[in-house]
Amino acid sequence: MNILTTLLLTVNETLTAGNAIIAVSLLLFNLTRNLNNRVAKSSAVVLACVAVAYVADAFISLEPDNPAHEIASRLQWIGIAFVPAAMYHLSDALLATTGLPSRGRRKRAIRLLYLAGAAFLLSVAFSDSVILVLAAPEMVNIQAGPAFFVYLLYFLLANAFAFFNVQRARKRCLTPASARRMAYLQVAFLTPALGIFPYSVLLKPGDEFTLFGLLVINTANIIIILMLFFLSYPLYFFGSDRPDRLVKKQLLDFLLRGPATGLIALAVVNFTAQATRVLSLPGDAFTPPAVVAAVLLWQWFVSLASPYFEKFFIYRDEDAEQITKLQTLSDRVLTHTDLSQLIMATTESICDYLRIETAFVISLAGALPEFVSRVGASDLDESNFLHDSELVRQVSRLPAESGRHLYMEWGEFALVPLRSSRAGGNGERALTIGLLGLLNNQARIRDELSASGGNLRAFVSRVETSLDDMHLQAEMYNLLEGLLPQFRMTRSRAVQVEYRQSDAHPSRFNALPDRDELFEQVRAALRHYWGGSGIAQSNMIMMRSVQSRMQNGEDTPVNALRKLLREAIDSLKPEGERNLMSPEWTLYNILQLRFLENRKVREVARRLSMSEADLYRKQRVAILAVTDLILKQELALSE
């Protein structure tokens, strides 16, 4: 019996500290969310109350001396005194999300409940009216004071009305998903309050350390841990502007790698420290390596099991093939820098293989040819070559013959056309997407390109594939960059659809765009100023400032949007003669060169004598200035 009691005591210490870990972890996770949302703020207050109570309880379980025990017992009431008010505050916020804000009565009730909590806290801190602290030589006993039953009445009434508010909120939910989440929330809603209620003050001294008392306490602690996890799931959907899938994934990752890791480490410490010897080692000596091993094994397990957890908890009802493609997309797609490095490495290998000093690769995807890689030094005039359109046309016209690569001579170089495998295959219609320039070694190059199994042909094929992928992925990035800013149904707006009741009139989205959303749309429209989905499919076309330019039917929607952007840019132009080096001209020069003249980042940075990183920072400031001007104009038209 003593062994079982000792085991239950150890379990109780672990679970008590575990509750503190979970409460603090959930509070920290909550603080990283949108605290402008009422539900997020009020739930943070509830979690703070729970965290304070359990941290104090975990400290008491370490058996400090009597004065410290008494101080911790009184500090614990910071959470205990305020949790009923916080629960009612949270219920009011949940009810308000369904379109039933307080008309004054609930707000006054919240203020009165917080005042009552402050009164109970002061009573506990400076008197024995609510709790009695009985200091014995071996331990400190906390008993109910004369006014404790007043607190009990305050506790029961506040939580009962809070539960009633959540019931009203659940009935007002509009969609099955929102009703289901609110039902989950209602099941676990009272867990924080019931979990930190001071039951021990109602028990006789020492009863909580009996076998039956420990069984009840441990069972309650396990239920509280599970309910806290269960409660966190529906709460984190409120105020989030991310899809449900991302909210679930973030919460799952956090719980597995945060609180779960802490619980495992704590359990290993508590149980190995109680052992006299483990594997012929003293328990205290075995604890550090055991904790390290447990944490490492758990992280290894989480890494292996995460895909299965995500499929079960997050993607159970979704297309498994589609989810797998989304999860592996980042591994399969390379950045422009990745592909440039790959082309450079292949170009260097070609030089080594042919024993030549100079080679280069030119891309023909843009409006003008562009050097992608260059190895070695020569007297090649890059600017003259890039602007020699007749030379580019001559190389592009070289026929693509099966089994061999044709090339043409240009000065001391042999120019090999690079063709796309996606457009026209290997026939004569294959699109020329670039040029490979090799320092001319006629006999060797001719033999290598003609040989069916030549290594040079393999190198050329690798460059073609890399350059083709670079062009394809650039098109994909441009498409995403143009379309993503047009998705306006964020998670925060979806909440309105799911919860908001419409008493007389249907709820409407704000006619004025959000500043952050408009910034993304302006940036996409500027980058696609001369054509692309960012301007052709922009939501900005529906703005009053654009529609007003189309009222006479003289402009197309895209041209009207172009005029709006150009006028906004021109309004940033300082007076006087243009100066590329003057600070007051910086924003205008960046917008003019980058977007209206469609110049590349490197060229603009060179002309303005700044680094590319500095250019990107100032470009963002310039686009924000344009956004604010357009938003101001839209606001004026809407009044």
Side-chain angles (χ1 to χ4, degrees):
M1 188 65 68
N2 290 335
I3 296 176
L4 182 58
T5 302
T6 302
L7 178 63
L8 290 175
L9 280 171
T10 304
V11 172
N12 178 55
E13 291 177 5
T14 304
L15 293 177
T16 300
N19 277 321
I21 291 173
I22 292 169
V24 172
S25 299
L26 293 178
L27 174 61
L28 294 175
F29 185 70
N30 187 283
L31 293 176
T32 63
R33 298 167 59 239
N34 181 18
L35 289 183
N36 293 324
N37 180 266
R38 289 187 61 194
V39 175
K41 287 190 290 188
S42 53
S43 61
V45 176
V46 172
L47 289 172
C49 292
V50 175
V52 169
Y54 275 120
V55 167
D57 208 19
F59 176 77
I60 292 171
S61 68
L62 299 177
E63 300 180 357
D65 56 23
N66 288 356
H69 189 148
E70 180 179 349
I71 293 173
S73 298
R74 295 186 187 276
L75 287 175
Q76 191 176 26
W77 274 76
I78 296 175
I80 297 172
F82 285 111
V83 75
M87 296 297 294
Y88 187 82
H89 189 185
L90 175 58
S91 71
D92 173 69
L94 291 170
L95 193 54
T97 62
T98 65
L100 193 63
S102 173
R103 296 177 180 176
R105 288 178 296 179
R106 295 204 308 266
K107 288 184 178 179
R108 287 193 293 271
I110 291 171
R111 295 190 186 101
L112 289 174
L113 288 173
Y114 276 116
L115 286 174
F120 284 116
L121 178 60
L122 292 174
S123 299
V124 170
F126 299 107
S127 72
D128 290 335
S129 58
V130 178
I131 59 172
L132 296 173
V133 180
L134 306 176
E138 297 182 356
M139 60 186 302
V140 175
N141 291 319
I142 309 296
Q143 294 295 304
F148 181 80
F149 292 98
V150 179
Y151 169 79
L152 181 60
L153 180 64
Y154 155 76
F155 180 89
L156 293 175
L157 287 176
N159 284 289
F161 280 107
F163 188 81
F164 176 68
N165 284 342
V166 178
Q167 172 68 10
R168 294 171 65 191
R170 184 176 67 84
K171 289 183 177 180
R172 292 177 59 83
C173 291
L174 300 179
T175 67
S178 59
R180 184 183 69 249
R181 290 192 209 107
M182 197 68 77
Y184 292 160
L185 189 59
Q186 190 175 17
V187 169
F189 183 73
L190 296 179
T191 299
L194 296 177
I196 66 174
F197 183 81
Y199 302 100
S200 60
V201 303
L202 302 176
L203 301 175
K204 295 179 180 179
D207 281 0
E208 67 269 26
F209 298 110
T210 62
L211 181 62
F212 177 74
L214 288 171
L215 285 172
V216 172
I217 291 173
N218 286 334
T219 303
N221 280 331
I222 292 173
I223 294 173
I224 290 167
I225 288 175
L226 295 176
M227 287 294 103
L228 282 176
F229 284 142
F230 192 65
L231 179 68
S232 64
Y233 165 69
L235 276 179
Y236 291 136
F237 284 93
F238 292 94
S240 174
D241 58 355
R242 300 186 178 188
D244 291 3
R245 173 177 58 85
L246 291 182
V247 175
K248 292 178 183 178
K249 189 177 187 307
Q250 286 179 348
L251 184 60
L252 180 63
D253 289 342
F254 174 76
L255 294 178
L256 290 176
R257 298 195 180 275
T261 304
L263 282 174
I264 289 173
L266 181 65
V268 172
V269 170
N270 283 345
F271 282 95
T272 55
Q274 295 291 333
T276 306
R277 299 188 72 80
V278 180
L279 298 177
S280 75
L281 295 175
D284 292 342
F286 183 76
T287 298
V291 170
V292 172
V295 170
L296 289 177
L297 287 173
W298 174 250
Q299 296 300 319
W300 171 74
F301 169 76
V302 169
S303 298
L304 293 179
S306 284
Y308 301 99
F309 286 151
E310 290 177 7
K311 283 185 179 180
F312 182 79
F313 291 109
I314 302 175
Y315 308 123
R316 180 187 295 183
D317 300 326
E318 300 187 31
D319 184 359
E321 183 180 356
Q322 183 181 19
I323 295 301
T324 301
K325 290 179 180 178
L326 287 175
Q327 290 175 330
T328 58
L329 183 62
S330 62
D331 295 331
R332 299 176 63 182
V333 175
L334 300 178
T335 66
H336 186 277
T337 302
D338 294 333
L339 290 168
S340 296
Q341 291 173 348
L342 181 58
I343 293 174
M344 175 63 76
T346 307
T347 309
E348 292 171 345
S349 299
I350 292 175
C351 289
D352 292 337
Y353 177 70
L354 295 178
R355 311 305 297 171
I356 60 178
E357 296 181 353
T358 304
F360 56 84
V361 174
I362 296 176
S363 170
L364 302 178
L368 295 173
E370 177 187 5
F371 273 84
V372 177
S373 71
R374 178 175 176 177
V375 178
S378 72
D379 297 331
L380 173 65
D381 190 336
E382 293 185 7
S383 59
N384 288 338
F385 181 83
L386 294 179
H387 290 85
D388 192 345
S389 57
E390 181 60 31
L391 174 64
V392 173
R393 282 196 294 269
Q394 288 179 13
V395 180
S396 300
R397 288 171 185 161
L398 288 175
E401 297 184 5
S402 177
R404 57 185 303 211
H405 279 80
L406 299 181
Y407 68 97
M408 67 171 289
E409 297 181 10
W410 182 73
E412 59 180 349
F413 289 95
L415 300 180
V416 182
L418 302 174
R419 307 184 190 276
S420 171
S421 60
R422 295 184 175 92
N426 294 322
E428 293 186 356
R429 295 182 182 178
L431 179 66
T432 301
I433 56 175
L435 303 175
L436 171 64
L438 305 172
L439 194 62
N440 204 345
N441 184 346
Q442 294 185 9
R444 180 74 183 275
I445 293 175
R446 183 176 59 252
D447 293 342
E448 288 285 345
L449 291 176
S450 301
S452 59
N455 290 330
L456 181 57
R457 292 187 58 192
F459 283 127
V460 172
S461 178
R462 188 184 304 173
V463 175
E464 286 178 331
T465 302
S466 301
L467 195 59
D468 205 8
D469 286 345
M470 179 183 288
H471 294 168
L472 179 64
Q473 293 183 182
E475 294 175 7
M476 181 188 71
Y477 292 142
N478 286 334
L479 182 64
L480 288 175
E481 185 181 52
L483 292 180
L484 286 179
Q486 317 311 327
F487 294 128
R488 301 183 62 182
M489 180 58 75
T490 61
R491 177 66 208 162
S492 58
R493 287 177 172 170
V495 168
Q496 298 178 10
V497 177
E498 293 178 349
Y499 296 98
R500 293 278 181 189
Q501 292 277 349
S502 54
D503 298 327
H505 303 284
S507 61
R508 297 175 59 191
F509 293 149
N510 188 357
L512 285 175
D514 179 77
R515 183 173 184 258
D516 292 337
E517 288 181 359
L518 184 58
F519 170 79
E520 294 296 335
Q521 292 172 12
V522 170
R523 181 167 64 174
L526 285 172
R527 291 193 175 185
H528 293 202
Y529 186 84
W530 295 109
S533 57
I535 193 167
Q537 302 181 37
S538 176
N539 289 332
M540 294 178 66
I541 290 174
M542 304 306 298
M543 295 172 62
R544 292 181 177 88
S545 51
V546 177
Q547 293 293 318
S548 64
R549 288 166 170 77
M550 298 168 52
Q551 59 186 356
N552 297 325
E554 297 177 356
D555 271 331
T556 64
V558 172
N559 285 336
L561 180 52
R562 283 198 186 104
K563 282 187 177 180
L564 174 65
L565 294 171
R566 180 181 288 275
E567 289 172 7
I569 293 173
D570 287 342
S571 65
L572 297 175
K573 183 178 180 181
E575 295 181 358
E577 187 177 354
R578 184 178 180 183
N579 188 340
L580 292 178
M581 298 297 128
S582 178
E584 58 266 20
W585 281 85
T586 299
L587 298 185
Y588 173 79
N589 286 333
I590 290 174
L591 295 170
Q592 177 71 22
L593 294 172
R594 277 285 290 124
F595 304 117
L596 301 189
E597 296 184 14
N598 198 27
R599 298 183 183 273
K600 297 185 179 299
V601 172
R602 184 178 302 176
E603 181 182 355
V604 174
R606 179 177 55 78
R607 292 191 63 179
L608 299 181
S609 299
M610 62 177 67
S611 66
E612 293 186 20
D614 191 27
L615 174 62
Y616 279 118
R617 286 193 296 270
K618 292 177 179 177
Q619 177 179 294
R620 179 178 178 84
V621 175
I623 297 175
L624 273 174
V626 172
T627 302
D628 290 336
L629 288 171
I630 294 175
L631 193 58
K632 183 178 179 180
Q633 185 174 350
E634 189 72 9
L635 180 62
L637 291 173
S638 64
E639 292 178 350

